[in-house]
Amino acid sequence: MTQKPNLDTKKASVYTLGCRLNQSESSVMEQGLKEQGFEIVDFKTDSNLAIVNTCTVTARADSDCRNVIRSYIRRNPDAFVAVVGCYSQMGYKTLSEIEGVDLIIGNQDKMSVLDYVSMGKNEKPLIIRDRIVKEDFTIDTMGQSDSKTRANLKIQDGCDFMCTFCIIPMARGRSRSREMDNLLEEARVLIAQGFREIVITGVNVATYESQGRTFLDVIDQLNELEGIERIRISSIEPTTIPEKIFDYMADPNHALVPYLHIPLQSGSDKILKIMKRRYERQDFLDFIKKASERVPDLCIGTDVMVGMCGEGDAEFEETCDFLIKSPVNYFHVFTFSERDGTPAVKMEEKVSPKEKSHRSSVLRAISERKRLKFYSEYIGREFDVLFESGHDGLWTGYTENFIRVSVEYSGNLSRHIRRVKITHTVADFAMAELVDE
Ligand code: SF4
């Protein structure tokens, strides 16, 4: 028996777990819901409809998804609940056992979720989980929810690289690209909506290839758009990066900002080989050294994974040593988690959870020190800052090279780009004063 949900008040919320690509897709879903007349409300308040955009990159991500869904259903037993994304693709059987879930959509069709929201509650969830097709794609809804300063622009999805620890090629499918005209159309809408920074987003962005156009063409075309101010690349795989972007980043008149987030994963050649990454530590080091020589004030961030099978004390120390000595300015630390369907599941020489946790905290501390050192190098220098949010007269934003800056100001700085001088560092940000008043 099906029962129609009460959608008179039309309140909806979208909850996002996982990566920036999910954030980008959720923003598009929110925009689509608004166009259908829904008011977007906080996930913790009552609503008639929830979309949970899931992640399955670790076992912890899976359990976070389940907890979020269950607690929403407890608060809103009559609401329509749609669960979409990577965990829906890989863990649909487990999700279908959660009472109160009405719809489960994998990655092929997740952006069509709004076509199903009026179908009514079901005793058993409808599961839509098609094989992911490798072909160029478009996105119909344009623009994003208006609460943020930086807009994520999805240009690509999926990955062909098959690193041995990674579930993404199974969860999101093989690499495919968004048609150029379609992504440019959204970029124009975002600029018109007042977004001052566009963040190029995807799983493996530099493998972009659509109708003979490459990743460099995407940057060239975005840079030509009227009103574009900042373009940032969210994350880019080593070995895929065209060196031409160094020229763009070094050119103050180009919108591409001097920022590179390049996942290293490990500083040990033995582990890189086990992971089937496509470079050795020296290749990575040579590349980032060249990048920092050619791009003034470049910020280099990276991702590191601890606890991969085979990572003994010696390999971990190699990673620490690499990160301390190389021109990496900060890093995100991830803990290896076995994912069914990946080659790493069958590997030996597992690392204990306690050791993983210890290594993770060691690396986080190194990252914090490096970030602060990076910020300190800019004390006394002036930068343009794009301000995002403010509390109690303290406004925070980012420089082009991703220094997190705070200034005291009694007015409204949200979405403003202002000139500041960095004065000192506090905790994990740089304090500054406005110099263009
Ligand atoms: S490059 Fe490797 S780690 Fe990154 S998404 Fe592709 S398979 Fe996963």
Side-chain angles (χ1 to χ4, degrees):
M1 189 189 87
T2 63
Q3 178 199 341
K4 282 269 174 201
N6 173 15
L7 294 177
D8 294 347
T9 47
K10 297 200 116 191
K11 285 186 177 162
S13 54
V14 180
Y15 192 92
T16 312
L17 296 107
C19 63
R20 193 175 274 279
L21 194 50
N22 266 12
Q23 289 168 21
S24 153
E25 291 160 348
S26 292
S27 274
V28 172
M29 288 172 202
E30 283 183 356
Q31 186 70 15
L33 285 164
K34 280 186 187 168
E35 284 165 16
Q36 287 198 10
F38 283 92
E39 179 192 344
I40 303 297
V41 296
D42 189 277
F43 194 74
K44 292 207 173 83
T45 61
D46 293 349
S47 59
N48 314 93
L49 162 69
I51 300 173
V52 182
N53 194 0
T54 59
C55 173
T56 190
V57 83
T58 57
R60 172 77 187 269
D62 289 355
S63 91
D64 287 350
C65 293
R66 292 192 301 271
N67 290 341
V68 161
I69 295 162
R70 286 202 181 99
S71 78
Y72 178 83
I73 293 169
R74 268 197 302 277
R75 292 192 312 272
N76 300 275
D78 299 325
F80 184 85
V81 179
V83 185
V84 304
C86 292
Y87 191 31
S88 297
Q89 185 73 28
M90 306 305 296
Y92 64 99
K93 283 192 187 133
T94 311
L95 285 169
S96 68
E97 284 159 14
I98 301 179
E99 205 173 317
V101 170
D102 300 292
L103 177 65
I104 298 169
I105 310 189
N107 275 324
Q108 175 68 26
D109 293 298
K110 79 195 269 191
M111 300 314 287
S112 311
V113 59
L114 301 191
D115 296 344
Y116 298 88
V117 296
S118 58
M119 77 182 201
K121 281 197 80 61
N122 280 307
E123 273 167 20
K124 284 206 165 148
L126 174 66
I127 300 173
I128 300 164
R129 187 186 159 271
D130 285 347
R131 201 172 63 81
I132 300 172
V133 181
K134 184 178 169 67
E135 59 186 29
D136 289 0
F137 61 89
T138 59
I139 297 175
D140 292 340
T141 299
M142 295 287 158
Q144 297 185 10
S145 61
D146 55 7
S147 61
K148 303 183 195 97
T149 308
R150 287 178 275 157
N152 295 313
L153 179 69
K154 175 175 172 178
I155 69 158
Q156 182 273 344
D157 203 342
C159 183
D160 295 336
F161 280 16
M162 312 299 283
C163 302
T164 54
F165 59 84
C166 185
I167 192 74
I168 298 294
M170 278 65 89
R172 280 196 175 265
R174 299 306 170 92
S175 180
R176 56 214 183 275
S177 304
R178 183 172 179 184
E179 288 179 15
M180 181 75 88
D181 290 349
N182 184 255
L183 74 87
L184 290 175
E185 196 184 336
E186 181 169 17
R188 280 189 206 95
V189 171
L190 294 169
I191 294 165
Q193 282 182 328
F195 286 99
R196 306 192 73 175
E197 181 170 313
I198 289 190
V199 183
I200 296 177
T201 308
V203 174
N204 195 338
V205 289
T207 59
Y208 182 95
E209 202 180 346
S210 173
Q211 296 160 325
R213 259 72 81 84
T214 64
F215 178 63
L216 265 188
D217 294 319
V218 174
I219 296 177
D220 288 340
Q221 302 248 356
L222 286 174
N223 190 51
E224 293 291 308
L225 293 180
E226 201 176 326
I228 189 106
E229 290 181 278
R230 285 184 177 186
I231 304 168
R232 190 179 300 280
I233 303 168
S234 60
S235 175
I236 186 164
E237 276 295 310
T239 74
T240 64
I241 309 168
E243 289 191 16
K244 183 86 186 148
I245 67 171
F246 298 161
D247 299 334
Y248 296 167
M249 289 179 178
D251 176 357
N253 296 316
H254 199 289
L256 189 66
V257 298
Y259 168 81
L260 275 174
H261 187 96
I262 320 175
L264 166 70
Q265 306 301 7
S266 172
S268 151
D269 281 339
K270 177 188 147 191
I271 300 301
L272 289 172
K273 204 166 175 194
I274 289 172
M275 289 173 162
K276 284 218 163 85
R277 300 289 287 172
R278 300 176 171 209
Y279 51 88
E280 295 189 341
R281 62 183 262 148
Q282 193 60 43
D283 304 327
F284 192 97
L285 187 60
D286 292 345
F287 186 83
I288 58 174
K289 277 189 174 161
K290 194 192 291 175
S292 28
E293 277 160 23
R294 284 181 53 183
V295 183
D297 298 327
L298 177 67
C299 172
I300 300 173
T302 191
D303 295 332
V304 195
M305 177 171 282
V306 292
M308 180 70 188
C309 304
E311 187 190 68
D313 290 345
E315 290 76 24
F316 177 64
E317 271 160 33
E318 277 184 85
T319 299
C320 294
D321 183 65
F322 183 95
L323 290 165
I324 289 167
K325 292 182 184 155
S326 71
V328 164
N329 303 118
Y330 74 89
F331 38 96
H332 296 147
V333 184
F334 296 88
T335 303
F336 168 70
S337 171
E338 280 185 21
R339 305 278 65 206
D340 283 343
T342 62
V345 170
K346 299 196 189 101
M347 290 179 182
E348 292 171 356
E349 289 189 73
K350 314 264 186 217
V351 180
S352 73
K354 194 171 161 210
E355 188 55 34
K356 283 184 194 168
S357 151
H358 168 68
R359 290 179 187 173
S360 173
S361 52
V362 170
L363 287 186
R364 287 205 169 97
I366 298 173
S367 175
E368 278 322 298
R369 281 204 301 277
K370 291 210 81 169
R371 189 196 294 270
L372 215 55
K373 183 171 171 288
F374 175 62
Y375 286 5
S376 306
E377 283 163 12
Y378 293 100
I379 291 173
R381 291 265 308 270
E382 290 186 9
F383 288 97
D384 289 333
V385 170
L386 171 54
F387 284 97
E388 300 192 341
S389 57
H391 296 286
D392 299 332
L394 196 65
W395 287 88
T396 302
Y398 287 89
T399 62
E400 291 189 344
N401 63 346
F402 219 55
I403 299 174
R404 187 166 172 239
V405 169
S406 283
V407 299
E408 285 178 19
Y409 186 70
S410 55
N412 180 9
L413 287 178
S414 179
R415 285 198 178 181
H416 289 258
I417 294 181
R418 298 285 298 266
R419 194 82 181 156
V420 308
K421 184 177 189 177
I422 294 179
T423 54
H424 58 289
T425 57
V426 178
D428 60 346
F429 51 88
M431 290 301 294
E433 53 196 27
L434 295 175
V435 292
D436 59 356
E437 284 191 282

